Amino acid sequence: MTQPPLAITCGDPAGIGLEIFLAAHKKIGHEIPMVLFADQKHLPDNLDVMLWSPDAPAHSGITLYQIDFSNPAVPGKGDPQNATGVIRAIEEAVRLTQEGHMAGLCTAPIHKANLQDGAGFKFPGHTEFLAHLCSAQTVVMMLTCPTLSVVPLTIHIPIRDVPSAITYKLFYTTAQIIHDGLTRDFSIPNPRISVAGLNPHASEDGKIGRDDIDRIKPWIAELQAKGLSITGPHSADTMFHATARSGYDVALCMYHDQALIPIKTLDFSGGVNVTLGLPIVRTSPDHGTAFDIAGQGIADATSMIQAIRTAARMIKARRDAN
């Protein structure tokens, strides 16, 4: 039986999503079958394009699922009137993946302000919208590259709000989703989770606060008793050198920058955003629409290439497990 293709959504057509997809498609070729969810009028005129259908034969060019957008795209100039098209591309890609016509989903970056202005988009971001479409109660954002995988326990909130946002339920649920996701989607039988402390030196025996000692440490012990390979809390400033990284599969960090600074330092161009906890495979490049460089032919497609390859590996892991 032929493997269904990977769905690629166009994101905001005024950003770099389409150009990095075309660069990735040129690099990967037909090693990984893909279908682009976009509007043909946003693509270069000289492209070899064939419209997708369930029984379409193999095609040497771009296979397109046509999404009608209101307006042409002007590089670098987001257009709220195209918001409905951006949203519909995501909805259709998710629907066809759920129905089995697509094997998984890789999403190009969206611009939330345009979606809010043009379509009343009510979700904090891409991930939450996908969770809604898939009826997933809780999902986890993991950033991954060949040398490091990280999960921020809290994401886009002020530092002052982090301690109160870290609850037993959030910690427990996140750790369990990480464990299950790495087992299912990355073929790691007993994934090793290393937890970063909230305070410097993981509170240093109570000299720098009590959060790690009174809350995080007992939560880790409870998860260990349930069979998870989880350790910590560890001093975050010693977790990310090469020797330390060799001792775990993923770092569970307390807040956004604690997770993203090390991975962006190690691999700024090649990081991939993976959503754990969805019933479908979803990856995305770890960057935004980059309106400032859109249309100039200088966008780096490395993260898109890695996102497509990571999605393909996750799809294979799920298929092999069944």
Side-chain angles (χ1 to χ4, degrees):
M1 183 176 178
T2 303
Q3 171 71 33
L6 177 66
I8 313 287
T9 57
C10 60
D12 194 306
I16 64 171
L18 286 170
E19 60 186 284
I20 60 174
F21 164 73
L22 294 175
H25 189 275
K26 184 176 181 179
K27 174 77 172 178
I28 295 170
H30 292 276
E31 171 192 341
I32 300 170
M34 293 176 269
V35 174
L36 175 64
F37 287 67
D39 192 331
Q40 189 164 357
K41 69 172 173 276
H42 294 154
L43 299 174
D45 293 336
N46 60 351
L47 277 183
D48 180 15
V49 175
M50 180 183 74
L51 294 181
W52 176 85
S53 67
D55 55 354
H59 178 58
S60 59
I62 303 296
T63 302
L64 178 72
Y65 186 98
Q66 173 65 22
I67 303 290
D68 294 327
F69 279 67
S70 296
N71 295 327
V74 179
K77 297 183 183 297
D79 184 353
Q81 292 188 43
N82 279 333
T84 301
V86 174
I87 292 169
R88 183 165 176 264
I90 299 168
E91 292 173 335
E92 287 295 288
V94 168
R95 178 181 67 80
L96 289 171
T97 303
Q98 291 174 318
E99 292 175 358
H101 296 295
M102 304 288 153
L105 175 64
C106 179
T107 60
I110 61 173
H111 193 271
K112 292 186 288 292
N114 280 341
L115 299 187
Q116 290 164 357
D117 293 344
F121 191 68
K122 63 182 179 179
F123 299 92
H126 227 142
T127 299
E128 293 83 0
F129 184 43
L130 291 165
H132 166 74
L133 293 175
C134 294
S135 300
Q137 292 298 314
T138 307
V139 295
V140 167
M141 181 179 77
M142 183 175 79
L143 292 309
T144 186
C145 70
T147 53
L148 177 65
S149 295
V150 295
V151 169
L153 184 62
T154 62
I155 306 177
H156 297 134
I157 62 173
I159 284 290
R160 67 175 177 272
D161 295 338
V162 168
S164 60
I166 296 172
T167 63
Y168 170 82
K169 181 179 180 180
L170 176 65
F171 186 88
Y172 186 94
T173 303
T174 301
Q176 191 65 60
I177 290 174
I178 292 170
H179 174 86
D180 295 344
L182 292 187
T183 301
R184 178 180 64 173
D185 295 336
F186 291 85
S187 302
I188 303 174
N190 191 26
R192 301 164 298 169
I193 305 170
S194 183
V195 179
L198 172 64
N199 294 318
H201 302 170
S203 294
E204 200 171 292
D205 297 325
K207 296 183 180 67
I208 314 176
R210 301 285 311 178
D211 304 89
D212 298 289
I213 297 163
D214 294 341
R215 297 197 296 154
I216 297 168
K217 190 172 182 179
W219 298 345
I220 290 171
E222 183 175 331
L223 288 164
Q224 289 171 337
K226 293 183 178 295
L228 270 68
S229 180
I230 183 170
T231 62
H234 302 290
S235 181
D237 62 354
T238 61
M239 279 183 58
F240 299 106
H241 60 85
T243 301
R245 296 197 309 271
S246 68
Y248 59 82
D249 298 300
V250 62
L252 175 54
C253 302
M254 295 295 109
Y255 52 92
H256 180 278
D257 285 8
Q258 193 181 59
L260 271 68
I261 287 173
I263 193 168
K264 286 182 179 288
T265 300
L266 288 167
D267 195 350
F268 184 78
S269 298
V272 176
N273 184 341
V274 173
T275 306
L276 301 176
L278 288 175
I280 64 174
V281 167
R282 184 264 177 151
T283 66
S284 179
D286 183 25
H287 58 67
T289 53
F291 284 156
D292 58 323
I293 62 169
Q296 299 177 33
I298 60 174
D300 188 339
T302 303
S303 188
M304 175 61 90
I305 292 167
Q306 293 301 328
I308 291 169
R309 293 194 184 281
T310 299
R313 288 195 296 271
M314 293 171 67
I315 291 163
K316 183 178 185 301
R318 289 195 182 194
R319 187 174 68 243
D320 291 348
N322 293 332

